[in-house]
């Protein structure tokens, strides 16, 4: 048994995976475990865990995950079913579909973003529409 101080990092469905700095991967990755990318990935990532892009990390492609922490660069389509946390050094471009978003000051977020509970990757982003068209705002 592990004591409270010796517990290993919890992950979804297995050991966390790591792509180290100075590593370049071209292709698709599918896993049940967490992923940390400190190198470069051109391709898609699909996991039922968490994706972390380190400060020197870069992903160009499509990412589908439960949670994500981004310190580095992302360019493509990002689908996060829970929380997306952007650190101050993050640079995001593309399309983002997320349930919850946390952005630190200094992060670059140049993406079209759809937010909402129960967000899924296969859904089409919905446009916000008012039920009342061309009605003036009411002042209390």
């Amino acid at each position: 048994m592990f004591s409270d101080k010796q517990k290993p990092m919890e992950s979804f469905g297995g050991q966390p995976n790591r792509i180290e700095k100075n590593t370049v991967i071209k292709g698709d990755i599918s896993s049940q475990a967490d992923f940390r990318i400190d190198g470069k990935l051109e391709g898609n990532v699909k996991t039922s865990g968490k994706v972390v892009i380190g400060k020197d990390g870069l992903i160009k492609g499509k990412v589908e995950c439960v949670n994500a922490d981004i310190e580095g660069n992302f360019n493509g389509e990002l689908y996060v079913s829970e929380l997306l946390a952007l650190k101050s050094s993050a640079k995001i471009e593309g399309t983002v579909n997320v349930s919850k978003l946390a952005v630190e000051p200094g992060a670059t977020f140049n993406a079209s973003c759809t937010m909402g509970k129960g967000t899924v990757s296969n859904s089409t982003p919905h446009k916000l529409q008012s039920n009342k068209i061309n009605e003036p705002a009411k002042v209390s």
Side-chain angles (χ1 to χ4, degrees):
M1 295 304 270
F2 291 103
S3 72
D4 287 340
K5 292 182 181 179
Q6 295 175 325
K7 282 186 179 178
M9 181 176 136
E10 287 186 32
S11 63
F12 296 90
Q15 292 293 318
N17 298 288
R18 189 172 190 139
I19 298 171
E20 294 292 335
K21 189 176 177 179
N22 301 321
T23 301
V24 177
I25 294 180
K26 292 183 181 182
D28 298 339
I29 297 172
S30 180
S31 176
Q32 299 296 310
D34 296 346
F35 258 94
R36 179 173 177 94
I37 291 99
D38 290 305
K40 294 181 178 23
L41 171 66
E42 289 184 34
N44 305 318
V45 177
K46 186 171 187 174
T47 179
S48 56
K50 180 178 190 175
V51 171
V52 176
I53 302 176
K55 205 168 194 168
D56 297 316
L58 165 68
I59 294 181
K60 285 186 179 182
K62 180 178 177 181
V63 172
E64 296 177 67
C65 59
V66 176
N67 293 298
D69 286 348
I70 301 179
E71 292 181 80
N73 298 304
F74 177 83
N75 189 325
E77 297 175 54
L78 181 58
Y79 299 94
V80 182
S81 62
E82 291 294 327
L83 174 65
L84 169 60
L86 302 179
K87 306 301 181 188
S88 61
S89 56
K91 292 180 183 162
I92 309 300
E93 292 185 12
T95 304
V96 175
N97 198 322
V98 65
S99 180
K100 293 179 251 174
L101 177 65
V103 182
E104 286 184 0
T108 303
F109 188 75
N110 292 321
S112 68
C113 183
T114 302
M115 292 180 67
K117 202 148 183 79
T119 303
V120 221
S121 64
N122 293 333
S123 67
T124 306
H126 301 334
K127 291 183 179 178
L128 296 176
Q129 295 179 348
S130 172
N131 291 338
K132 299 178 183 179
I133 299 171
N134 294 330
E135 184 174 302
K138 294 180 184 178
V139 179
S140 300

